[in-house]
């Protein structure tokens, strides 16, 4: 095997010389008048766990189904390992999919479900048995091999579906809302199992999800989709810390957004005035746009500090009254009403145990954040 | 249920069961009557059963009925499955609505009309075969009976299969294709086994409808191919004989055993699961 496509660095997408394993070029899918996927271009590298994140109806599942060959693109191309997939039917693609409904064959046992794909390839029976047994060990479902799908719990079904998709060792594994049907506890547990399996087998994963937490934990990179288009691609950290648009900022985690007008824009800082907050906001990087331009500043709730006394730094300082307090255990969430009426969300870790001196309802507080914490958004 | 049954419910139930089963019970009782007259009780005997076993006409008719029923049910199951599949899977072809109507029309068509139409068609076909191919007229018989029964039973199977397919999760087929199964294999390994209960139910329905049918059979049968209902009907016209009672009793016994064992098997399966 050649070395091409092998992850040379842990972040192959930064390396100009590395070759993408999956190339999606100007992909469009229309259902009648409705455009489900609108001109998507995307490169995914070998060994990645790439998440397509978006609300329902954003086209993420359609994109996944086109990769599997279950939908035929209206236009555009898909290459997997340099092979054009245009004329390759689903049963000949080097991909396997884990369906949102799991789609386990109800009339077959767990074992037979998993062996199904191998049988289609005409693999020797003894080898099939061996590989089924191995994969059952991997997903810890050995004791349930002889059961039918309806005798399994949701979590067990999910493992079988995963095993069935993995057992053929596809070049690309597609997962449609893999953890959607699980409760929170099982979800977290399986997330880590999924990551372990992915690392162990080195298969490239593309995961579709609407759950931003799931995408954040699992992925090497996330593609945020909206209305059939990919609006931003980046590592979980990039997407969270440097969202490109208000939509992305809102979709991933919670955020406070202040509409503002640029007063000064220099290479190393921007000063804006926000009428909404009735304050000047200062961000320590230039944005290269004309004074007077309308922009938005996004500040994550955990980046904001609330205190009863005024902080020394006067920039990025707001004043307000605490209207709502939610105690979450590890942290508390405060909703602070500014004089202008705007509500700002602040989360603060509960560092000390005692409840004395803790901020509470109707306290007058100062809100402040570092000049590096805000992100300027243009749309 | 709250403790026991109230008296009113109990009476209703008893009356209901009497209404349903009294005729059958009378029939069974009189099958053990020694008298040649069906309506007068003489004494207990198995004469009717002995006569039945020796009655070649009735036994032949039973054989014809079973042959026609099983063959036409099988043909109808195949054709009906294809119809049902097409109707649920290909939702956008031209004339789908017309096809849908045509498939289900036999369900509501008066049997007399279907039977008459069949008869006319068979006569025309015979003529055509003779004039064009020079084949001797076949006349009415086993073949025409089977064709006629298949025709109306197909509609029933199509409806049953269609409803089974309507609740079918398409992602199962997609998963099979994704795992490397060609369309042909997907159908035989996934779709067919899952809709099999529907097809079997359709087959059983077609089988019983065929066994039961008098009107269409009367139009389309010929000499040497009388089904059981036709023989019973013609015999009854000459007065009911105890043999018919005996035959009916045996049929009831077979049906009851069939239903009861099917229930037991079903329940055991449920327990196992």
């Amino acid at each position: 095997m050649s070395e091409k496509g092998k992850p040379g660095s842990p972040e192959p997408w930064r390396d100009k010389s590395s070759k993408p394993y999956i190339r999606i070029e100007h992909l469009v899918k229309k259902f009648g008048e409705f455009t489900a996927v609108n001109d998507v271009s995307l490169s995914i590298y070998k060994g990645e766990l790439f998440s397509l994140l978006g609300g329902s109806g954003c086209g993420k599942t359609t994109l996944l189904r086109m990769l599997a060959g279950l939908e035929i693109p209206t236009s555009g191309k898909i290459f997997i390992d340099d092979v054009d997939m245009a004329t390759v039917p689903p049963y000949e693609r080097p991909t396997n999919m884990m369906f949102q409904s799991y789609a386990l064959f109800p009339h077959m046992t767990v074992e037979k479900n998993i062996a199904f794909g191998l049988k289609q390839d005409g693999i020797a029976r003894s080898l099939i048995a061996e590989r089924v047994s191995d994969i059952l060990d991997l997903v810890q479902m050995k004791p349930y091999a002889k059961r039918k799908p309806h005798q399994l719990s949701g979590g067990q079904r999910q493992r079988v579906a995963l095993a069935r998709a993995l057992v053929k060792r596809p070049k690309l594994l597609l997962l449609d809302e893999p953890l959607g049907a699980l409760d929170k506890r099982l979800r977290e547990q399986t997330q880590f199992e999924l990551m372990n399996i992915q690392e162990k087998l080195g298969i490239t994963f593309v995961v579709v999800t609407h759950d931003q937490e799931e995408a954040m934990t699992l992925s090497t990179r996330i593609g945020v989709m909206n209305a059939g288009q990919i609006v931003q691609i980046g590592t979980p950290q990039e997407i969270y810390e440097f969202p490109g648009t208000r939509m992305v900022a809102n979709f991933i985690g919670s955020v406070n957004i202040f509409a503002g007008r640029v007063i000064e824009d220099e290479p190393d800082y921007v000063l804006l005035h926000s009428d909404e907050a009735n304050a000047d906001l200062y961000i320590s990087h230039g944005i290269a746009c004309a004074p007077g331009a309308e922009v938005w500043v996004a500040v994550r709730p955990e980046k904001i500090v609330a205190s009863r006394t005024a902080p020394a730094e006067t920039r990025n300082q707001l004043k307000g009254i605490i209207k709502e307090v939610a105690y979450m255990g590890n942290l508390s969430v405060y909703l602070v009403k500014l004089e202008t009426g705007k509500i700002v969300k602040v989360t603060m870790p509960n560092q000390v145990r005692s409840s004395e001196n803790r901020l509470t309802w109707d306290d007058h507080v100062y809100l402040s954040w570092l000049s590096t914490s805000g992100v300027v958004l243009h749309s | 249920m709250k403790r026991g049954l109230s008296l009113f419910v109990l009476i209703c139930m008893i009356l209901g069961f009497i209404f349903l089963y009294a005729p059958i019970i009378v029939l069974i009782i009189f099958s053990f009557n020694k008298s040649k007259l069906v309506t007068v009780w003489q004494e207990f005997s198995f004469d009717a059963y002995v006569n039945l076993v020796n009655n070649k006409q009735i036994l032949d008719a039973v054989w014809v009925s079973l042959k026609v029923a099983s063959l036409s049910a099988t043909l109808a199951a195949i054709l009906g499955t294809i119809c049902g599949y097409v109707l649920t899977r290909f939702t956008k072809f031209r004339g789908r609505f017309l096809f849908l109507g045509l498939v289900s029309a036999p369900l509501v068509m008066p049997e007399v009309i279907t039977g008459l139409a069949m008869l006319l068609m068979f006569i025309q076909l015979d003529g055509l075969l003779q004039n064009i191919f020079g084949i001797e007229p076949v006349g009415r018989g086993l073949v025409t009976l089977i064709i006629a029964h298949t025709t109306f039973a197909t509609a029933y199977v199509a409806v049953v299969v269609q409803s089974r397919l309507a609740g079918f999760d398409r992602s199962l087929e997609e998963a099979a294709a994704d795992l490397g199964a060609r369309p042909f294999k997907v159908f035989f390994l996934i779709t067919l086994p899952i809709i099999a209960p529907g097809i079997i139910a359709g087959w059983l329905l077609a089988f019983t409808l065929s066994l039961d049918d008098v009107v269409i059979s009367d139009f389309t049968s010929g000499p040497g191919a009388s089904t059981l209902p036709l023989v019973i009907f013609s015999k009854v016209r000459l007065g009911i004989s105890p043999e018919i009672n005996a035959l009916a009793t045996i049929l009831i016994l077979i049906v009851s055993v069939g239903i009861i064992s099917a229930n037991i098997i079903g329940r055991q399966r449920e327990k196992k699961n």
Side-chain angles (χ1 to χ4, degrees), chain A residues 209-234:
Chain A
T209 179
H210 69 274
D211 182 332
Q212 43 114 350
E213 242 177 83
E214 190 174 306
M216 298 282 274
T217 345
L218 289 175
S219 323
T220 53
R221 284 190 304 157
I222 298 173
V224 182
M225 285 189 79
N226 187 33
Q229 288 179 311
I230 293 208
V231 285
Q232 192 174 357
I233 299 174

Side-chain angles (χ1 to χ4, degrees), chain A residues 345-370:
Chain A
K345 191 174 177 185
V346 180
T347 55
M348 302 237 286
N350 294 321
Q351 279 171 330
V352 285
R353 187 182 259 172
S354 95
S355 59
E356 277 170 47
N357 216 14
R358 186 167 285 163
L359 296 172
T360 182
W361 280 270
D362 296 330
D363 278 359
H364 288 258
V365 289
Y366 293 90
L367 304 180
S368 62
W369 60 88
L370 299 176

Side-chain angles (χ1 to χ4, degrees), chain A residues 65 92 96-97 107 168, chain B residues 172 174 177-179 182 189:
Chain A
R65 288 170 60 84
E92 280 170 6
N96 283 126
M97 181 156 162
H107 57 299
K168 289 190 78 176
Chain B
L172 294 175
E174 291 177 344
D178 182 64
L179 290 166
R182 286 160 182 282
L189 294 177

Side-chain angles (χ1 to χ4, degrees), chain B residues 161-178:
Chain B
V161 169
Q162 214 183 326
S163 72
R164 180 88 192 175
L165 272 170
F168 189 95
D169 179 6
R170 287 297 294 274
S171 64
L172 294 175
E173 288 172 348
E174 291 177 344
D178 182 64

Side-chain angles (χ1 to χ4, degrees), chain A residues 65 70 90-92 95-97 99 101 103-108 116-117 120 150-151 164 168, chain B residues 169 171-183 185-186 189-191 193-194 272-273:
Chain A
R65 288 170 60 84
L70 301 172
Y91 49 86
E92 280 170 6
T95 60
N96 283 126
M97 181 156 162
F99 288 75
S101 62
L104 298 177
F105 308 132
H107 57 299
M108 295 183 193
F116 185 88
Q120 303 312 312
H150 67 92
Q151 296 164 301
R164 191 179 67 178
K168 289 190 78 176
Chain B
D169 179 6
S171 64
L172 294 175
E173 288 172 348
E174 291 177 344
D178 182 64
L179 290 166
R182 286 160 182 282
K185 276 197 142 180
V186 171
L189 294 177
I190 305 299
T191 317
I194 294 172
K272 234 169 71 183
N273 291 346

Side-chain angles (χ1 to χ4, degrees), chain B residues 143-177:
Chain B
V143 177
T144 51
L145 264 178
I146 291 170
I147 293 174
H149 283 198
T150 306
T151 309
F152 76 80
T154 299
Y156 287 89
V157 179
V159 169
V160 177
V161 169
Q162 214 183 326
S163 72
R164 180 88 192 175
L165 272 170
F168 189 95
D169 179 6
R170 287 297 294 274
S171 64
L172 294 175
E173 288 172 348
E174 291 177 344

Side-chain angles (χ1 to χ4, degrees), chain A residues 185-216:
Chain A
R185 231 190 152 76
L186 210 52
R187 231 181 145 89
E188 280 173 7
Q189 192 190 334
T190 352
Q191 268 175 17
F192 289 109
E193 275 176 35
L194 211 56
M195 285 161 78
N196 279 339
I197 288 170
Q198 201 258 346
E199 274 164 31
K200 219 180 271 181
L201 303 179
I203 293 171
T204 309
F205 281 36
V206 173
V207 180
V208 153
T209 179
H210 69 274
D211 182 332
Q212 43 114 350
E213 242 177 83
E214 190 174 306
M216 298 282 274

